Amino acid sequence: MDSAHRPKLKTAFKKARVIAPLHTAGPVAVTPDGSRLVTCVGEDALLTDVKAGVEICRFAGDTESITSLCITPSSSHLLLFTSSLSLRIYEIPSAPVPQTKLVKPIRVVARAHDAPVHVCKADPTSTYLASGSADGVVKVWDILRGYVTHLFKGHGGVVSALAFNYPFDPSSVIREQKMQLITASVDTRIRIFDLSAAAARASGGSKPEAVLEGHVSVPRGLDVSADGKWLVSGGRDSVVLIWDISSKASPTKKSAKGKGKETEFAPVLHKTIPVLERVEAVGLLHPDEDLAGAPSGPGKLRFYTGGEKGLVRIWDAREGSVLFTFGQEQDEATEDQEEQRQIVNAIYVPATSTIVSVHADQNILFHSLSTQSLSRQLIGFNDEIIDATFLSPNLPVQASAPSPLSDTHVALATNSSLIRVYSTSSLDARLIAGHSEIVLCLDRGAQGRVLASGSKDRSARIWAPIRPREGEEAPAVPDWRCVAICEGHAESVGAIAMSRKALSGEPAPSGSGGDHLRFMFTGSQDRTIKMWDVSSVPLSAPADGEDARPVKCKSLTTHKAHDKDINSLDVAPNDRLLVSGSQDRTAKVWEIDYVTSGAGVRGELRLLGTCKGHKRGVWCVRFGRAERVLATGSGDKTVKLWNLEDFTCVKTFEGHTNSVLRVDFLNAGMQMVSSASDGLVKLWNVRDEECAATMDNHEDKVWALAVSSDESTIVSGAADSVVTFWQDCTEEQQIEKETQRAKLVEKEQDLQNYLALHDYRNAILLALSMGQPGRLHTLFASLTSTTDASATATPQTPSITGHPAVDEVLRTLPGTDLARLLRYVRDWNARAKTSAVAQRVLHAIVKLRAAEDIARAFDEDAAFTAATAAAAAPADEETFGKALPAEVAPLEGRGTTALKELIDSLIPYTERHLTRMEKLLQDSYVVEHLLSEMDDGLFGELGDEDEGDDIAMDVDRAVEVAA
């Protein structure tokens, strides 16, 4: 390859997106505008932006599981109950910016109930919260003040549903101040309580206005119409009851009894509708809700139900008929699958005409009422991610990858029989059902237009996107349907590889056209490789209602390939070679013989060579895309590169601390990327066998690794249920480094200019901002030499540091800069070589600044550090705005610890320097004494006796000099 056109090596990948567990178990709530979702992951509650698919924040839990939660209609507060029986109230951040810090509760009621709370509901005004516990007690709370306003006992068992009734008549001028709480419990009765103060006084505060009996099993859903006339209740007795709760008993009846104790409130059962499934959620639709194909109006009464069959049905209450259904009933589903699919909750969002259904398998589905279709699906929990591959369902047949329509989706095989297909830009996903056992491997064909999967059910399937009907817009995530089945293996299919040439835009070998699928290979636990003819498989599945019988593929050849399980297969880019990796520690390279003729299709495999050298099983094999090389990843923690001419190992890459599970090529074979059981993804430079970058975002084995067509994105999926999208940021880093280098050069030039102009103030401030203690030390040290040199020439004003301008700088230095300078002084003071400058600067600061100034400087520095840390972990605007004044107010005393540490580290070294100086001073006295003694003693005594000789000696010296 020409060096001018050789691609640059990638050196850095950043974490662009993460698909993490969204909902593991527990309750779910949606904000009234439908834009945000609160779910439970473990013991924490999560707030997620539905459209962007981004986690906004987490709410700090109390290490106990969450039993019930709700959001106020104003979207201002989240209220949740935990297994510890506590009520926790949080403010919901209004800003959409993701936060890294946990949101703390604004109020905690330690023991809100004496038994776990399974249902709670906020009233329409966001003032009160009703909670029902397992011991049959219902409490009404004032949300902001945190006290109980009403207490209702007498429910025969667990409280199963709650609803507020605030009737509103649009035709009335004044609003009727009627407040009712409707409760349902395991004793099958529905009770209506009046919350007004007068009613509470009259009834002693806890007696219901009415008790409705009609269900024979626990009612799970309650809802009241906006005008307060109709109550709908649904339960596990498979019926929905419509109650008229506006009815009042006739006054004649009341007077005939002659008793004033009779209540005039007498609800009537209006209609019983058999639903024929256990109802877990029921609710009334808004009268003006525009349902496609169904008229709307104030007289219409329609409701929805969700239950054990996993379907959301929309009903006409007056007719008792189903208007339409969301979801499809599966005929051949096993009991376990049915249990997983059932709906545990359904939430109606009038603002977006959406019904959100929460299923037992942790999936959350958004059904649009206006289009009568599934608008969004969020998958709560993926379990272990075993394999991943990019898909391009919208890529036209003529286009070749990479293009803007390439790699728009990613398919995941998890510890499940369902394949997940995610959009790469959001959390929207679809589930593909078809396999009866866990899916073990995935591969893509025709540049991502089709998907192939192998499963424990001993079959392989090919999936294609369902093409939209004429005039219909393609959905964000299309549904996929099985278009071909390959059956014949005796054990589970653990490896799969499709033809690379099909629809790649290049002519396929052997004269066959490249405009259709060609062949596919499967490797199994039965140690055989099968070659399948898939040339008759369509690239798209017909829409619903059309004949969609999958093709039964024919096996062209079967080879007993290895002595142990086959873990991986790969087809060469030119479709001429196949490689298989096995637990028998070898990788075998096969020649593919695929011929299409008038008589049909013929396929054969011929063994070319075996790559031996690994000490453990081979987990992954990959052909180079540009050169005739082969990469293998093994359980011996190494990646090996093999020459395909003589099947010898040419390079070995060591660095992982556990089994290498996946490997792939990048950058025309100049780099490789690998993932391993140590939870790391590593980028390798092939030429020098060095690790260029390590990506760490997983806590368990990274089984899945996929590289996009343009090689800008790497997807890694691990056994910790986390999928990470790594984005190439090599260019960004280089630009950032260049910018930083240019800024540093500019600052250094400015520093030199200031020093040349003797502008010491700016020089010191710039050196402090650049964080260059060496330059500062040189500056202070040079002051003494220049002062000594100029002192003889011109007398100067007395200065502590050696220059009056520097004294002035130290006197007026800002607090944070002063604290930084003192830290540098502490470091200089620890070395004898630099201690002289440190002592002089310290002496100047102590002389020129008051003790209060220095203490305040450290307080300011501590406040600045705290503010910087808070900015690095961004909070929402409101919380940040409220918290900051509280932090700044107690500024005094913040830096006391730092100042004490500084003084404690300065004193010992200063004392050591003082002792050293005193010793030097004493030594100098001794030397001076010796010299003086030598002068006076030796020369004084000789002077008396040999005065004449001295004169003669001087004369002699003079003569010598003259000579």
Side-chain angles (χ1 to χ4, degrees):
M1 188 182 289
D2 184 14
S3 59
H5 297 94
R6 184 176 292 164
K8 289 183 180 176
L9 293 179
K10 299 177 190 296
T11 57
F13 280 82
K14 66 180 179 185
K15 185 170 64 179
R17 267 192 73 224
V18 173
I19 300 173
L22 177 72
H23 176 58
T24 51
V28 171
V30 182
T31 53
D33 61 0
S35 65
R36 296 175 174 199
L37 180 76
V38 174
T39 53
C40 302
V41 175
E43 291 85 34
D44 291 335
L46 231 73
L47 181 67
T48 306
D49 187 318
V50 173
K51 192 173 181 183
V54 176
E55 180 187 313
I56 296 171
C57 66
R58 284 180 182 247
F59 299 96
D62 61 355
T63 69
E64 294 285 342
S65 58
I66 297 165
T67 56
S68 179
L69 62 79
C70 70
I71 296 172
T72 56
S74 62
S75 300
S76 58
H77 291 84
L78 170 69
L79 313 138
L80 60 83
F81 291 88
T82 66
S83 297
S84 64
L85 312 180
S86 67
L87 163 62
R88 301 170 75 82
I89 303 173
Y90 302 86
E91 278 189 352
I92 297 176
S94 57
V97 184
Q99 297 182 27
T100 52
K101 288 200 292 188
L102 289 172
V103 176
K104 303 286 184 188
I106 57 169
R107 185 182 298 281
V108 177
V109 180
R111 195 174 176 84
H113 279 265
D114 294 327
V117 175
H118 294 295
V119 284
C120 64
K121 187 85 178 268
D123 82 318
T125 64
S126 302
T127 311
Y128 301 107
L129 165 74
S131 58
S133 69
D135 59 0
V137 174
V138 172
K139 290 183 181 181
V140 180
W141 305 80
D142 185 302
I143 292 171
L144 290 177
R145 294 178 181 84
Y147 61 82
V148 177
T149 61
H150 298 76
L151 176 67
F152 303 117
K153 294 183 179 179
H155 298 83
V158 179
V159 179
S160 58
L162 295 169
F164 280 97
N165 178 24
Y166 280 26
F168 174 61
D169 184 2
S171 60
S172 173
V173 179
I174 57 168
R175 183 162 184 167
E176 185 186 352
Q177 291 299 316
K178 184 182 179 186
M179 294 169 58
Q180 290 179 327
L181 176 66
I182 304 167
T183 67
S185 63
V186 172
D187 64 1
T188 73
R189 293 182 175 87
I190 296 168
R191 295 170 173 82
I192 302 175
F193 297 92
D194 195 333
L195 297 179
S196 64
R201 282 195 298 272
S203 66
S206 64
K207 289 182 181 175
E209 267 192 304
V211 178
L212 312 182
E213 297 189 16
H215 285 286
V216 294
S217 185
V218 54
R220 285 288 293 122
L222 293 174
D223 200 9
V224 185
S225 59
D227 58 5
K229 181 175 171 62
W230 302 104
L231 166 68
V232 60
S233 65
R236 290 180 178 162
D237 51 5
S238 303
V239 295
V240 169
L241 305 181
I242 311 291
W243 306 84
D244 183 350
I245 58 171
S246 64
S247 309
K248 296 186 179 181
S250 61
T252 55
K253 203 174 194 180
K254 182 180 172 185
S255 57
K257 293 269 183 183
K259 293 181 181 178
K261 291 181 183 177
E262 284 285 332
T263 178
E264 61 175 44
F265 183 60
V268 174
L269 178 60
H270 179 72
K271 195 176 185 68
T272 301
I273 300 171
V275 181
L276 305 179
E277 66 167 332
R278 290 199 307 273
V279 176
E280 293 293 326
V282 65
L284 288 163
L285 298 183
H286 199 276
D288 300 329
E289 187 65 70
D290 182 27
L291 303 180
S296 62
K300 292 286 178 187
L301 188 65
R302 294 160 305 185
F303 65 91
Y304 65 88
T305 60
E308 63 173 332
K309 292 182 180 175
L311 310 174
V312 175
R313 291 193 174 100
I314 310 298
W315 299 76
D316 187 320
R318 299 191 192 281
E319 300 291 329
S321 59
V322 178
L323 295 174
F324 54 87
T325 304
F326 292 111
Q328 291 181 338
E329 200 168 342
Q330 290 188 350
D331 303 327
E332 300 173 5
T334 62
E335 193 175 325
D336 184 45
Q337 284 175 327
E338 278 186 0
E339 191 179 324
Q340 288 293 304
R341 289 182 69 247
Q342 70 182 18
I343 291 173
V344 293
N345 194 11
I347 305 159
Y348 173 47
V349 185
T352 56
S353 297
T354 302
I355 291 176
V356 182
S357 62
V358 184
H359 295 252
D361 57 2
Q362 295 107 19
N363 294 326
I364 302 166
L365 277 62
F366 289 70
H367 307 279
S368 171
L369 290 167
S370 51
T371 61
Q372 295 189 16
S373 62
L374 180 67
S375 60
R376 192 181 301 276
Q377 178 168 346
L378 303 180
I379 296 170
F381 186 60
N382 281 321
D383 206 0
E384 290 191 27
I385 293 155
I386 302 167
D387 206 353
T389 186
F390 279 101
L391 297 174
S392 314
N394 303 319
L395 190 66
V397 174
Q398 297 80 15
S400 61
S403 86
L405 293 173
S406 294
D407 308 328
T408 52
H409 297 77
V410 64
L412 304 176
T414 67
N415 209 359
S416 157
S417 62
L418 304 172
I419 302 168
R420 277 91 162 133
V421 177
Y422 276 89
S423 163
T424 52
S425 56
S426 70
L427 276 181
D428 198 5
R430 295 292 181 272
L431 293 171
I432 307 177
H435 284 290
S436 58
E437 294 279 344
I438 292 171
V439 176
L440 297 174
C441 54
L442 298 174
D443 195 23
R444 65 181 197 163
Q447 306 298 309
R449 295 176 183 89
V450 295
L451 171 68
S453 61
S455 165
K456 268 191 176 179
D457 61 12
R458 298 180 293 188
S459 73
R461 288 175 180 253
I462 298 176
W463 313 84
I466 296 175
R467 56 174 177 266
R469 290 191 179 91
E470 296 256 346
E472 276 189 10
E473 193 181 339
V477 183
D479 283 310
W480 293 68
R481 184 176 289 165
C482 180
V483 290
I485 302 176
C486 306
E487 292 177 317
H489 280 291
E491 295 287 344
S492 56
V493 178
I496 197 162
M498 295 193 79
S499 160
R500 304 290 177 227
K501 276 284 187 182
L503 280 89
S504 62
E506 301 173 34
S510 308
S512 62
D515 58 347
H516 56 80
L517 297 176
R518 306 179 71 227
F519 53 78
M520 182 175 81
F521 291 96
T522 54
S524 168
Q525 226 174 345
D526 63 12
R527 302 164 194 176
T528 63
I529 296 173
K530 279 184 179 288
M531 183 178 185
W532 305 87
D533 174 25
V534 294
S535 54
S536 58
V537 175
L539 290 174
S540 62
D544 293 336
E546 300 175 38
D547 184 36
R549 214 167 280 253
V551 176
K552 294 274 186 183
C553 293
K554 187 182 77 171
S555 171
L556 297 175
T557 184
T558 304
H559 272 267
K560 166 88 167 53
H562 288 273
D563 298 329
K564 289 187 179 177
D565 298 358
I566 296 169
N567 291 328
S568 179
L569 294 174
D570 192 35
V571 176
N574 62 4
D575 271 0
R576 293 182 185 277
L577 300 175
L578 170 77
V579 62
S580 59
S582 166
Q583 280 298 106
D584 64 8
R585 300 183 286 186
T586 65
K588 293 187 177 181
V589 181
W590 311 79
E591 186 180 13
I592 301 168
D593 183 15
Y594 178 79
V595 180
T596 55
S597 61
V601 178
R602 185 173 59 80
E604 193 54 62
L605 282 179
R606 196 176 84 253
L607 181 64
L608 291 181
T610 304
C611 302
K612 295 180 180 177
H614 281 295
K615 296 171 184 174
R616 294 279 186 277
V618 176
W619 280 111
C620 185
V621 287
R622 276 289 178 275
F623 280 111
R625 297 194 186 103
E627 297 173 352
R628 284 179 58 83
V629 289
L630 168 70
T632 57
S634 165
D636 62 10
K637 310 175 193 175
T638 65
V639 177
K640 286 183 183 287
L641 205 63
W642 307 82
N643 183 356
L644 288 178
E645 301 301 328
D646 53 5
F647 309 105
T648 55
C649 176
V650 289
K651 287 182 187 292
T652 301
F653 301 83
E654 295 178 342
H656 282 292
T657 57
N658 215 323
S659 305
V660 179
L661 302 174
R662 292 287 182 270
V663 65
D664 210 338
F665 282 92
L666 286 174
N667 247 351
M670 292 165 62
Q671 289 183 296
M672 287 193 305
V673 61
S674 63
S675 68
S677 294
D678 56 12
L680 301 177
V681 178
K682 285 183 179 285
L683 180 69
W684 305 89
N685 293 339
V686 172
R687 188 184 293 273
D688 50 15
E689 299 180 40
E690 283 187 0
C691 178
T694 299
M695 294 158 258
D696 183 9
N697 191 46
H698 297 286
E699 296 173 358
D700 211 333
K701 299 181 178 73
V702 185
W703 282 108
L705 189 71
V707 180
S708 62
S709 304
D710 60 359
E711 298 184 348
S712 64
T713 307
I714 297 171
V715 169
S716 60
D720 59 2
S721 184
V722 173
V723 179
T724 310
F725 289 76
W726 304 97
Q727 196 76 33
D728 180 16
C729 61
T730 306
E731 282 189 22
E732 290 172 33
Q733 275 203 354
Q734 285 176 346
I735 291 166
E736 196 178 334
K737 280 181 184 173
E738 280 298 313
T739 310
Q740 286 178 348
R741 197 177 63 81
K743 282 182 181 175
L744 190 64
V745 168
E746 284 177 15
K747 283 185 176 180
E748 286 187 352
Q749 186 58 52
D750 288 343
L751 187 62
Q752 296 295 339
N753 295 344
Y754 290 143
L755 289 172
L757 296 168
H758 300 293
D759 186 351
Y760 292 115
R761 180 178 186 80
N762 284 326
I764 290 169
L765 288 173
L766 185 59
L768 283 168
S769 69
M770 289 168 70
Q772 293 195 346
R775 290 290 178 87
L776 265 177
H777 180 269
T778 309
L779 189 152
F780 285 121
S782 65
L783 289 175
T784 51
S785 56
T786 50
T787 310
D788 293 343
S790 59
T792 52
T794 54
Q796 287 188 338
T797 52
S799 163
I800 301 170
T801 57
H803 201 287
V806 176
D807 288 4
E808 186 59 30
V809 172
L810 295 181
R811 188 183 287 112
T812 57
L813 206 59
T816 51
D817 287 336
L818 180 61
R820 193 177 295 129
L821 179 59
L822 280 167
R823 288 195 181 93
Y824 292 158
V825 166
R826 175 194 61 195
D827 296 340
W828 298 338
N829 198 43
R831 296 176 62 193
K833 190 178 177 182
T834 53
S835 62
V837 172
Q839 286 296 320
R840 191 165 66 254
V841 175
L842 185 61
H843 174 58
I845 291 171
V846 172
K847 279 279 188 184
L848 297 169
R849 303 294 285 256
E852 293 81 9
D853 276 2
I854 296 171
R856 198 179 303 112
F858 275 88
D859 289 342
E860 287 175 18
D861 185 59
F864 177 74
T865 308
T868 310
D876 63 290
E877 291 169 21
E878 284 184 29
T879 315
F880 191 73
K882 287 174 188 169
L884 201 59
E887 288 174 6
V888 173
L891 192 62
E892 221 171 300
R894 269 192 163 211
T896 311
T897 309
L899 181 58
K900 184 179 180 301
E901 285 175 359
L902 182 95
I903 292 168
D904 287 347
S905 56
L906 279 171
I907 287 171
Y909 283 105
T910 306
E911 286 176 346
R912 186 186 295 177
H913 298 320
L914 181 63
T915 308
R916 186 162 52 83
M917 294 306 289
E918 284 176 346
K919 189 171 183 303
L920 281 171
L921 191 63
Q922 286 175 0
D923 290 350
S924 70
Y925 287 152
V926 171
V927 171
E928 188 181 356
H929 173 70
L930 285 172
L931 288 172
S932 63
E933 284 297 312
M934 287 167 68
D935 286 349
D936 294 343
L938 180 63
F939 296 110
E941 290 170 9
L942 289 172
D944 296 335
E945 296 172 7
D946 306 325
E947 198 171 339
D949 293 347
D950 284 345
I951 295 163
M953 285 169 70
D954 287 340
V955 170
D956 293 342
R957 191 178 296 118
V959 171
E960 284 173 11
V961 169

